[in-house]
C-alpha cells in the first residue's frame, strides 16, 4: 500500500485519495481504519486515547486499461469538527491482506459553536447596570477553541431605529460574568449571550428580560411657573419630567426656595405630592427663587432652573431703632433706622412729636432714599425745659406701618455731645464704595474723631479712607479693612463714643471638587462647602464638557448639595468638570478643572490573523475578535480595494455578525480599512491581505505596500511590524553569535574530539564519556535538510517542537524480527539507527487554563492539514557506521515512554492499540533491564579495531548528525 494521503479536509468529512499498486490486476477491497484521537491537559502532559475505531471497505473493479495507476477516493462523513483522527489503509485481494499503511493523523476544521452558553442569568445590581452570568457550553460543542463571548442587549420597551442592539465582547473561554452599564434606570432590557470561536459565533441563548433598579430622576420637572397670592404666599405649579428620564416611580417633589435679596436668607425646602402647591409664611414683598426636583425611592433628581416670584406688598414694620437728642435750647434731633421688614418699597416716613402728657401732636414727613437706611431730622420750635415725646412710622403704597418706640427728651442750651447714629454691624461687598455715618448733637457743635481697633496709621492719613462731613468713606472695600471703627464726639459739656463693626463680604471661596467613583457611563462627584464669604450660600453650578470641547453643559444644584452623579455619559471618555458656588455677592472662582474619565476606552483592533481569513475569491472578517475595551461597539465601516484600484468599496455592518466580501480577484493583494465606532470613539485599523491562487497557494508579498490610510496618509501597520520583526531578528542573531564565541561549550566540544591515535582503553573511556554526555542531553544545532522523496516529505513535520535522535542498535535481523513482532519498538532494534520523534508538551498550565488549541492548517502548505506533528511518533531506519554493542545510556535514569502506531496482527480479529509503548533514549536502559529482548542473545559481538585519524573523523561526524535537535 503506497502513497496514502489526505487530499481535502473539512469540518465534517475527509476525502482520501489512495494510489494502490498492489490491487492493480486483482479484484480487491481496501480496509480503511479511522481512529478518533482526543487530547486533553492532565498534569501538563498530553495523553492520546483511542475512543472509536471505524472500519470501512472500499471495493474496486478492474482498471479500464491494464497497467494504469489507480486512484481511489473515499469520503468520510459524520466526523466531529476540530477533532483529530488517525487513518490507515490495508488492501485485500485473493492472495491475502497487505500490511497497513503508515498512519496519517488529521484534524477536522473548526466550526462555529453548536450550542449557546448554559444557565444564563441576569441580575440588576444598581440603577443603570445589569450583571450577566453564564456557564460555558459543553466542550464537545465548542467545535474548536472557544475564544470568548458576545453579550447583546436592547431596550425591550422601545421600537424604532434608535433602539439599536448594542454588544460587548469578552475574551477567554473561562469568563463567566460581565457588568453591562450605560443603561437607563427602571427599564426593561432583553439580553442574549453567544459563545464564539475563530470561525464565528454560535447560537444565541434564549432572550432574558430584566429590569434595572430604580434610580433618581435623570431630568427635572418641566414648565415650572409661579404667581403671588398674597403678601406671604406664592402658588407654584409644574409638569413631571419626561417619562424615559424619571428613573422609576415618582413619589413626589421637593420645592427649594429662598429670598434672594436678603444677604442672610437661608435655603428652605418643602415637599409636595401633587403637581401644584402653595408656599406660605413667606416674607412680605420679598423676591423668591423657586426650584423643583422630582423624587423616587432612590433619591431626588436634579432641580429645575429657578423661577422668581415676589410676594405682594404690605404695610411696613416699625422702624428698627429711634433716638431723640437735645441739640439746643429749642431744637431736638430725631434719628431712626429703616424698618427691618419693609414689606415693600418705602415711600416716606412720618415723625410725630407732642408735649408729654398732652394729647395734641404734630408731625413731619421725610421722603425715603433708596440707598439710605439711617435717617435724622431736626425738630425746631420747641420750648425750653418742656419734655417732648417722639415716634416715627414708615409707609408703603399699601399704607402706614406700625409706629416705633416712643422716646422723650427736652431742649437744652448746654446740650452735651451725643452720637445720633447707631453703632452696629455693617456689611459691604468687596470692591465697592462704603459710607459710615456718625451724626452728632450738642451745643456747641461737637468735634468728631475716627479710630480703629487694629493698630494702624491714623485714618485721616490712610489713603483708603476719606472723611466727608459726618461720614467716613471707604473708597474701595476689601478684606483688610474689615475691623471695628469707633467715632468719638466731644464738646465742653460731654463726650460720647459709638462703634461700628465693618465686615467685608466676598464671593464664596473656590470649591474643591474630587471624584468618588466612576463607571462606564457615570461619574460620582463630592465636595465640601467652601467658605461662604460672609453671606449664606445660595447654590452651586456644576459644569462639565468633553476634554477637547469648548462648550460647557451646566447643572444648577441647591446650597445643601454635597455630592452629585453625572449620568448617561459616554463610555471611556475624558471629561473636564468644574464647580462654582454662589451667594448674594456673586459667584466664586470656579474650582480647578477636574479631568477624569469614565471607565472603558476606545476599541482595540485585533491581529490580522484573528480578523482576516481569505480564499481565492472571498475574504471573511470575524468582527467578534475586535476588542470592545469595555465600551459597547455600535457599528463597523468596512472599506476594501485592490492595489490597482483607486476607489473603495465601503459597507456599514453590525458588530454582532461576521462579514464577508466575495467576487474578489484571484491571487491579488488588497488593502482593507476597518473603522470601529464605539461609545468611546472611533478606532481605525488598516490591513493588507491577498487572495489565494486557484490551487489554494499564497502569492508573494509586493516589494512595497501603499500608504496605510489611503487619503489620510498613514503608514501601513504591516510594514511597520515587518520592519520591527526584521530588526529584532538581526539583533538576536548578533547576540547569539557573540554568546556562541564566548561560550565555554564550544571549546569543550573542540577539545573532546581532537584527532590522533587512540588506544582501545582510551576508546572505551571516550564511549563512556559520550554516553554520559548523551544522558545529560547536551546537543548541538543543525539545519533541517529538505526531504527529497514524497515519503520523506510525509515524514517531515513543521510543527515545533520535536526532537530527532539516532541511536546505535543490535543486529539487523534481530531488530527486524522485533519490529515485526509488534513489541516495544525502541533504539537498538536493528543494525541501523532508529529515528524517534518525541511528543511535544506545553509548559505547565493552571488547572483552569483553556484546552490545548491545535494549530489550523495553512491552505498553502498541505502538510499543515495534519494534526500537530508533535503528537506523532514514527520510526525511520537510517544507515550508521556506529556499531557499539553497549547501551549508549547505561547511566540514564529516565523512564519516559511514548506510544507509536502498531501493526495489526493477522491472527486476531481484535484491533490492537493504535499506539504501542516506545522507550526514548533516556529510558532504554531501564527497559532492557526489566524486559530482556529475545534477540539480545544473537547480538553481534563488538568489533575491535585500532582507531585511526580518518576513522575518528567519520565517527565524530556521525555523532554530530545522530545527536542533533532540529528546532
Amino acid at each position: 500500500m503506497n502513497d496514502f494521503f489526505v487530499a481535502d479536509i473539512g469540518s465534517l468529512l475527509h476525502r482520501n485519495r489512495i494510489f494502490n499498486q498492489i490491487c492493480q490486476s486483482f479484484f480487491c477491497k481496501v480496509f480503511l481504519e479511522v481512529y478518533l484521537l482526543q487530547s486533553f491537559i492532565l498534569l501538563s502532559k498530553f495523553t492520546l486515547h483511542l475512543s472509536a475505531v471505524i472500519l470501512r471497505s472500499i471495493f474496486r473493479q478492474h482498471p479500464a486499461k491494464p497497467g494504469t495507476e489507480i486512484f481511489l477516493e473515499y469520503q468520510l462523513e459524520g466526523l466531529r469538527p476540530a477533532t483529530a483522527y488517525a487513518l490507515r489503509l490495508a488492501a485485500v485481494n485473493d492472495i491475502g491482506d497487505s500490511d497497513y499503511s503508515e498512519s496519517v493523523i488529521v484534524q477536522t476544521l473548526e466550526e462555529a459553536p453548536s450550542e449557546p452558553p448554559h444557565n444564563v442569568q441576569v441580575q440588576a445590581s444598581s440603577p443603570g447596570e445589569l450583571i450577566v452570568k453564564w456557564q460555558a457550553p459543553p466542550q464537545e460543542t465548542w467545535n474548536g477553541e472557544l475564544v470568548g463571548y458576545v453579550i447583546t442587549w436592547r431596550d425591550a420597551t422601545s421600537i424604532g431605529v434608535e433602539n439599536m442592539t448594542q454588544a460587548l465582547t469578552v475574551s477567554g473561554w473561562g469568563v463567566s460574568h460581565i457588568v453591562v452599564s450605560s443603561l437607563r434606570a427602571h427599564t426593561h432590557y432583553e439580553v442574549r449571550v453567544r459563545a464564539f470561536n475563530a470561525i464565528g459565533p454560535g447560537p444565541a441563548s434564549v432572550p432574558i428580560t430584566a429590569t434595572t433598579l430604580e434610580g433618581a430622576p435623570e431630568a427635572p420637572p418641566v414648565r415650572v411657573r409661579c404667581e403671588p397670592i398674597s403678601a406671604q404666599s406664592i402658588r407654584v405649579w409644574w409638569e413631571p419630567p419626561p417619562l424615559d428620564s424619571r428613573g422609576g416611580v415618582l413619589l413626589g417633589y421637593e420645592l427649594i426656595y429662598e429670598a434672594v435679596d436678603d444677604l442672610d436668607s437661608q435655603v428652605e425646602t418643602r415637599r409636595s405630592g401633587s403637581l401644584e402647591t402653595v408656599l406660605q409664611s413667606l416674607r412680605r414683598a420679598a423676591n423668591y427663587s423657586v426650584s423643583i426636583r422630582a423624587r423616587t425611592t432612590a433619591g431626588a433628581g436634579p432641580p429645575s432652573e429657578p423661577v422668581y416670584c415676589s410676594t405682594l406688598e404690605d404695610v411696613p414694620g416699625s422702624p428698627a431703632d429711634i433716638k431723640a437728642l437735645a441739640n439746643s435750647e429749642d431744637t431736638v434731633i430725631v434719628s431712626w433706622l429703616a424698618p427691618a421688614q419693609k414689606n415693600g418699597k418705602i415711600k416716606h416716613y412720618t415723625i410725630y412729636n407732642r408735649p408729654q402728657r398732652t394729647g395734641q401732636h404734630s408731625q413731619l414727613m421725610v421722603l425715603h432714599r433708596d440707598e439710605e437706611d439711617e435717617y435724622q431730622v431736626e425738630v425746631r420750635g420747641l420750648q425750653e425745659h418742656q419734655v417732648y415725646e417722639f415716634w416715627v412710622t414708615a409707609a408703603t403704597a399699601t399704607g402706614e406701618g406700625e409706629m416705633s418706640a416712643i422716646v422723650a427728651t427736652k431742649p437744652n442750651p448746654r446740650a452735651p455731645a451725643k452720637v445720633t447714629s447707631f453703632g452696629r454691624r455693617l456689611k459691604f461687598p468687596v470692591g465697592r464704595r462704603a459710607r459710615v455715618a456718625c451724626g452728632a448733637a450738642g451745643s456747641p457743635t461737637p468735634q468728631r474723631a475716627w479710630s480703629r481697633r487694629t493698630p494702624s496709621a491714623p485714618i485721616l492719613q490712610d489713603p483708603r479712607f476719606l472723611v466727608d462731613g459726618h461720614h467716613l468713606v471707604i473708597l474701595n472695600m476689601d478684606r483688610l479693612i474689615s475691623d471695628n471703627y469707633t467715632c468719638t464726639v466731644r464738646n465742653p459739656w460731654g463726650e460720647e463714643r459709638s462703634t461700628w463693626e465693618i465686615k467685608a463680604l466676598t464671593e464664596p471661596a473656590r470649591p474643591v471638587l474630587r471624584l468618588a467613583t466612576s463607571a462606564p457611563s457615570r461619574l460620582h462627584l463630592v465636595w465640601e462647602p467652601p467658605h461662604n464669604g460672609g453671606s449664606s450660600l445660595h447654590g452651586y453650578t456644576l459644569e462639565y464638557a468633553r476634554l477637547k470641547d469648548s462648550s460647557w453643559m451646566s447643572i444648577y444644584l441647591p446650597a445643601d448639595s454635597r455630592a452629585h452623579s453625572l449620568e448617561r455619559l459616554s463610555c471611556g471618555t475624558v471629561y473636564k468638570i468644574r464647580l462654582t458656588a454662589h451667594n448674594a455677592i456673586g459667584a466664586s472662582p470656579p474650582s480647578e478643572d477636574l479631568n477624569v474619565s469614565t471607565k472603558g476606552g476606545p476599541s482595540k483592533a485585533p491581529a490580522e490573523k484573528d480578523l482576516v481569513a481569505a480564499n481565492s475569491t472571498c475574504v471573511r472578517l470575524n468582527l467578534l475578535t475586535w476588542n470592545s475595551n469595555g465600551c459597547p461597539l455600535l457599528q463597523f465601516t468596512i472599506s476594501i480595494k485592490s492595489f490597482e484600484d483607486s476607489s473603495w468599496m465601503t459597507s456599514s455592518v453590525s458588530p454582532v455578525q461576521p462579514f464577508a466580501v466575495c467576487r474578489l480577484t484571484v491571487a491579488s493583494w488588497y488593502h482593507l480599512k476597518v473603522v470601529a465606532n464605539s461609545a468611546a470613539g472611533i478606532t481605525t485599523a488598516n490591513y493588507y491581505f491577498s487572495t489565494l491562487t486557484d490551487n489554494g497557494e499564497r502569492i508573494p508579498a509586493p516589494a512595497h505596500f501603499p500608504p496605510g490610510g489611503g487619503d489620510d496618509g498613514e503608514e501601513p501597520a504591516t510594514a511597520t511590524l515587518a520592519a520591527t520583526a526584521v530588526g529584532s531578528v538581526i539583533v538576536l542573531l548578533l547576540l547569539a553569535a557573540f554568546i556562541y564565541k564566548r561560550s565555554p561549550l564550544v571549546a569543550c566540544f573542540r577539545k573532546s574530539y581532537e584527532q590522533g591515535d587512540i588506544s582501545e582503553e582510551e576508546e572505551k573511556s571516550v564511549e563512556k564519556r559520550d554516553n554520559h554526555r548523551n544522558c545529560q542531553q547536551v546537543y548541538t544545532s543543525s539545519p533541517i535538510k529538505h526531504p527529497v522523496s514524497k515519503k520523506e516529505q510525509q515524514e517531515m513535520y513543521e510543527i515545533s517542537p520535536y526532537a530527532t535522535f539516532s541511536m546505535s542498535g543490535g543486529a539487523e535481523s534481530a531488530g527486524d524480527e522485533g519490529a515485526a513482532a509488534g513489541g516495544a519498538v525502541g533504539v537498538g532494534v536493528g543494525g541501523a539507527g532508529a529515528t524517534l520523534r518525541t511528543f511535544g508538551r506545553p509548559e505547565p498550565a493552571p488547572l483552569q487554563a483553556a484546552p490545548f488549541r491545535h494549530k489550523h492548517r495553512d491552505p498553502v502548505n498541505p502538510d499543515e492539514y495534519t494534526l500537530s506533528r508533535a503528537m506523532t511518533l514514527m520510526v525511520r531506519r537510517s544507515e550508521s557506521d556506529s556499531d557499539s554493542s553497549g547501551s549508549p545510556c547505561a547511566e540514564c535514569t529516565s523512564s519516559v515512554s511514548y506510544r507509536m502506531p502498531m501493526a495489526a496482527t493477522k491472527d486476531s480479529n481484535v484491533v490492537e492499540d493504535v499506539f504501542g509503548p516506545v522507550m526514548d533514549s533516556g529510558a532504554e536502559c531501564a527497559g532492557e533491564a526489566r524486559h530482556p529482548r529475545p534477540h539480545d542473545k544473537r547480538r553481534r559481538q563488538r568489533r575491535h579495531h585500532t582507531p585511526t585519524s580518518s576513522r575518528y573523523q567519520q565517527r565524530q561526524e556521525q555523532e554530530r548528525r545522530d545527536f542533533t535537535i532540529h528546532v
Side-chain angles (χ1 to χ4, degrees):
M1 182 62 61
N2 297 328
D3 212 5
F4 167 47
F5 61 95
V6 177
D8 186 18
I9 292 183
S11 60
L12 296 176
L13 58 88
H14 294 275
R15 291 188 177 92
N16 306 281
R17 302 183 63 192
I18 307 121
F19 175 59
N20 192 336
Q21 294 180 342
I22 299 179
C23 300
Q24 289 189 3
S25 58
F26 298 94
F27 175 79
C28 70
K29 61 181 179 180
V30 179
F31 287 108
L32 173 63
E33 289 187 356
V34 183
Y35 299 90
L36 174 63
L37 306 179
Q38 294 180 345
S39 61
F40 59 94
I41 297 178
L42 178 61
L43 299 179
S44 302
K45 297 183 179 179
F46 287 94
T47 308
L48 295 180
H49 290 269
L50 177 63
S51 61
V53 178
I54 307 172
L55 293 178
R56 295 288 186 270
S57 297
I58 308 171
F59 293 93
R60 181 184 73 77
Q61 300 295 335
H62 293 286
K65 296 181 181 179
T68 59
E69 296 180 347
I70 303 301
F71 287 90
L72 299 182
E73 182 174 309
Y74 185 76
Q75 178 174 300
L76 291 176
E77 297 182 350
L79 304 181
R80 299 179 183 175
T83 305
Y85 289 88
L87 300 89
R88 65 180 185 176
L89 289 172
V92 180
N93 58 15
D94 295 339
I95 299 177
D97 299 350
S98 72
D99 293 334
Y100 277 99
S101 66
E102 295 182 357
S103 297
V104 174
I105 298 178
V106 294
Q107 179 175 344
T108 54
L109 300 180
E110 290 189 22
E111 280 189 352
S114 55
E115 286 191 17
H118 289 190
N119 195 23
V120 178
Q121 300 177 1
V122 182
Q123 300 175 355
S125 58
S126 64
E129 290 184 354
L130 292 175
I131 298 179
V132 184
K133 299 180 180 179
W134 65 88
Q135 292 179 355
Q139 188 171 353
E140 59 269 16
T141 66
W142 292 4
N143 300 336
E145 180 186 356
L146 211 59
V147 178
Y149 303 89
V150 56
I151 297 88
T152 59
W153 67 91
R154 58 181 291 272
D155 190 343
T157 59
S158 299
I159 300 175
V161 180
E162 295 182 356
N163 185 25
M164 58 172 28
T165 299
Q166 300 186 62
L168 270 179
T169 57
V170 290
S171 301
W173 70 272
V175 180
S176 60
H177 72 279
I178 190 175
V179 177
V180 179
S181 57
S182 303
L183 307 178
R184 290 201 302 266
H186 198 63
T187 306
H188 303 289
Y189 284 92
E190 192 177 82
V191 182
R192 293 179 173 90
V193 183
R194 287 182 173 184
F196 68 92
N197 56 20
I199 301 302
S205 63
V206 176
I208 296 179
T209 302
T211 304
T212 54
L213 297 180
E214 287 194 21
E218 300 176 5
V222 296
R223 300 190 63 189
V224 180
R225 290 152 290 177
C226 65
E227 64 179 7
I229 297 178
S230 67
Q232 290 186 286
S233 61
I234 293 176
R235 173 176 171 259
V236 185
W237 69 101
W238 60 91
E239 294 181 6
L243 183 62
D244 59 350
S245 302
R246 296 180 183 178
V249 179
L250 296 180
L251 301 180
Y253 300 89
E254 285 185 1
L255 286 82
I256 306 167
Y257 59 97
E258 64 174 335
V260 296
D261 295 333
D262 190 352
L263 297 179
D264 297 324
S265 64
Q266 299 293 328
V267 176
E268 299 181 62
T269 60
R270 185 171 298 177
R271 291 189 176 185
S272 173
S274 62
L275 298 177
E276 180 178 348
T277 189
V278 175
L279 300 178
Q280 298 178 343
S281 302
L282 305 180
R283 298 181 183 178
R284 297 173 177 87
N287 186 22
Y288 279 87
S289 67
V290 182
S291 299
I292 305 175
R293 54 186 180 184
R295 292 173 47 253
T296 63
T297 56
S304 63
E305 289 292 330
V307 294
Y308 298 91
C309 290
S310 297
T311 54
L312 299 179
E313 288 189 356
D314 200 353
V315 294
S318 61
D321 203 351
I322 185 173
K323 286 183 179 182
L325 302 173
N327 190 46
S328 66
E329 65 277 5
D330 60 351
T331 60
V332 171
I333 294 179
V334 180
S335 61
W336 68 94
L337 292 176
Q341 298 178 353
K342 295 182 175 63
N343 298 339
K345 185 176 182 180
I346 304 295
K347 297 295 185 179
H348 61 271
Y349 296 93
T350 304
I351 301 93
Y352 296 91
N353 69 86
R354 66 182 179 184
Q356 195 174 25
R357 293 185 298 274
T358 63
Q360 296 180 355
H361 64 271
S362 60
Q363 62 186 28
L364 181 65
M365 185 177 294
V366 176
L367 296 178
H368 173 77
R369 296 184 295 272
D370 291 337
E371 297 182 357
E372 297 289 339
D373 60 353
E374 183 176 314
Y375 298 86
Q376 69 178 24
V377 65
E378 185 177 16
V379 181
R380 301 177 180 271
L382 304 178
Q383 296 179 4
E384 187 178 358
H385 305 301
Q386 175 65 45
V387 177
Y388 289 87
E389 295 178 340
F390 300 90
W391 69 93
V392 180
T393 61
T396 63
T398 304
E400 185 176 13
E402 299 176 4
M403 59 181 291
S404 66
I406 298 176
V407 293
T409 189
K410 61 181 179 181
N412 184 0
R414 302 175 63 180
K418 296 290 183 181
V419 177
T420 60
S421 298
F422 300 87
R424 63 191 186 276
R425 176 181 295 178
L426 298 177
K427 298 179 180 179
F428 300 102
V430 170
R432 297 184 183 181
R433 189 183 183 99
R435 293 167 63 91
V436 181
C438 179
S443 181
T445 303
Q447 300 293 323
R448 297 179 181 86
W450 287 93
S451 63
R452 57 185 301 184
R453 182 183 60 181
T454 303
S456 60
I459 291 180
L460 294 178
Q461 299 178 8
D462 195 327
R464 297 175 297 178
F465 300 94
L466 176 64
V467 177
D468 182 16
H470 67 281
H471 288 90
L472 174 66
V473 180
I474 302 174
L475 299 178
N476 188 10
M477 188 66 190
D478 60 40
R479 292 182 180 179
L480 299 178
I481 297 179
S482 298
D483 203 351
N484 289 349
Y485 292 82
T486 301
C487 177
T488 304
V489 293
R490 296 185 183 90
N491 70 2
W493 316 115
E495 174 182 313
E496 189 178 43
R497 292 182 177 86
S498 186
T499 302
W500 286 262
E501 181 185 353
I502 296 179
K503 186 175 182 181
L505 296 181
T506 64
E507 301 87 355
R510 181 194 301 266
V512 178
L513 186 65
R514 60 185 180 90
L515 176 68
T517 59
S518 65
S521 63
R522 182 179 69 253
L523 293 173
H524 186 65
L525 307 167
V526 295
W527 64 89
E528 293 295 332
H531 185 268
N532 60 14
S535 178
S536 60
L537 294 177
H538 289 183
Y540 299 92
T541 299
L542 184 66
E543 299 175 286
Y544 64 99
R546 292 175 182 261
L547 184 61
K548 297 182 179 179
D549 290 350
S550 58
S551 59
W552 294 76
M553 292 175 285
S554 61
I555 299 175
Y556 172 78
L557 300 174
D560 58 350
S561 300
R562 299 294 179 268
H564 184 75
S565 291
L566 294 175
E567 302 285 351
R568 309 291 292 275
L569 302 178
S570 298
C571 178
T573 304
V574 180
Y575 285 87
K576 52 184 178 181
I577 309 172
R578 64 190 183 190
L579 182 67
T580 304
H582 301 272
N583 63 6
I585 307 304
S588 70
S591 64
E592 294 183 0
D593 287 358
L594 180 64
N595 296 334
V596 291
S597 173
T598 54
K599 287 188 177 180
S603 60
K604 298 180 181 179
E608 180 180 350
K609 64 181 181 64
D610 298 328
L611 178 69
V612 182
N615 58 16
S616 57
T617 59
C618 293
V619 61
R620 184 175 182 273
L621 306 180
N622 190 1
L623 298 176
L624 293 178
T625 60
W626 201 282
N627 187 355
S628 59
N629 199 17
C631 296
L633 292 169
L634 304 178
Q635 191 180 44
F636 283 96
T637 302
I638 312 297
S639 301
I640 185 173
K641 70 173 183 178
S642 65
F643 282 9
E644 292 77 16
D645 295 338
S646 59
S647 60
W648 294 84
M649 297 182 295
T650 303
S651 301
S652 297
V653 297
S654 167
V656 180
Q657 296 293 342
F659 177 74
V661 178
C662 290
R663 297 182 181 180
L664 303 180
T665 306
V666 178
S668 299
W669 278 93
Y670 283 86
H671 181 191
L672 172 67
K673 181 164 66 175
V674 183
V675 179
N677 185 9
S678 71
I682 295 176
T683 301
T684 302
N686 292 277
Y687 301 92
Y688 298 96
F689 71 92
S690 65
T691 53
L692 306 180
T693 63
D694 290 331
N695 297 329
E697 298 178 352
R698 295 190 182 275
I699 61 175
H704 300 284
F705 286 92
D711 297 335
D712 53 6
E714 296 179 1
E715 291 299 325
T718 306
T720 304
L721 293 176
T724 305
V726 170
S728 302
V729 169
I730 294 176
V731 173
L732 291 176
L733 290 177
L734 294 176
L735 183 61
F738 176 76
I739 296 175
Y740 179 79
K741 290 182 179 181
R742 298 182 61 89
S743 175
L745 187 60
V746 178
C748 178
F749 276 118
R750 291 175 180 172
K751 294 179 181 179
S752 300
Y753 296 102
E754 294 179 352
Q755 298 183 1
D757 296 335
I758 303 176
S759 64
E760 182 175 353
E761 295 297 325
E762 291 174 340
E763 185 180 6
K764 292 181 179 179
S765 63
V766 169
E767 293 176 355
K768 189 173 182 180
R769 183 174 64 253
D770 291 345
N771 290 335
H772 181 69
R773 183 178 69 251
N774 295 339
C775 295
Q776 294 177 344
Q777 298 182 348
V778 178
Y779 311 114
T780 60
S781 61
S782 176
I784 301 176
K785 296 182 179 180
H786 295 283
V788 178
S789 64
K790 272 188 178 179
K791 184 174 182 180
E792 291 181 355
Q793 186 174 359
Q794 289 181 357
E795 293 171 351
M796 296 298 294
Y797 300 103
E798 288 186 4
I799 306 301
S800 297
Y802 64 85
T804 303
F805 301 90
S806 294
M807 296 296 182
S808 302
E812 293 184 5
S813 59
D816 295 339
E817 292 176 5
V825 180
V827 296
V829 294
T835 301
L836 305 183
R837 289 202 175 94
T838 63
F839 291 88
R841 296 186 298 181
E843 292 297 324
L847 295 178
Q848 297 180 356
F852 177 74
R853 178 181 182 181
H854 300 302
K855 294 186 177 179
H856 301 289
R857 294 185 44 176
D858 188 345
V860 178
N861 194 341
D863 191 55
E864 293 185 15
Y865 279 92
T866 61
L867 179 68
S868 174
R869 299 297 187 168
M871 302 296 293
T872 304
L873 180 65
M874 301 188 67
V875 177
R876 181 177 63 193
R877 299 186 61 186
S878 61
E879 298 299 331
S880 173
D881 294 335
S882 177
D883 54 358
S884 301
S885 60
S887 174
C889 56
E891 300 175 17
C892 298
T893 58
S894 174
S895 61
V896 180
S897 63
Y898 301 94
R899 305 183 70 83
M900 64 169 292
M902 301 289 296
T905 59
K906 297 181 180 180
D907 299 336
S908 175
N909 294 329
V910 180
V911 180
E912 297 181 1
D913 189 357
V914 69
F915 291 104
V918 178
M919 308 301 293
D920 66 355
S921 61
E924 177 185 351
C925 304
E928 290 178 353
R930 289 191 299 269
H931 305 287
R933 299 180 180 176
H935 57 273
D936 287 344
K937 297 179 181 180
R938 299 191 299 273
R939 279 189 177 178
R940 185 173 53 185
Q941 297 295 325
R942 182 178 183 276
R943 295 179 297 176
H944 298 277
H945 57 82
T946 301
T948 62
S949 175
S950 60
R951 173 65 175 172
Y952 192 83
Q953 291 179 354
Q954 295 177 2
R955 177 182 176 184
Q956 180 179 358
E957 179 64 19
Q958 180 63 31
E959 288 183 345
R960 189 193 67 81
R961 292 195 304 266
D962 292 345
F963 296 92
T964 300
I965 294 179
H966 298 292
V967 178

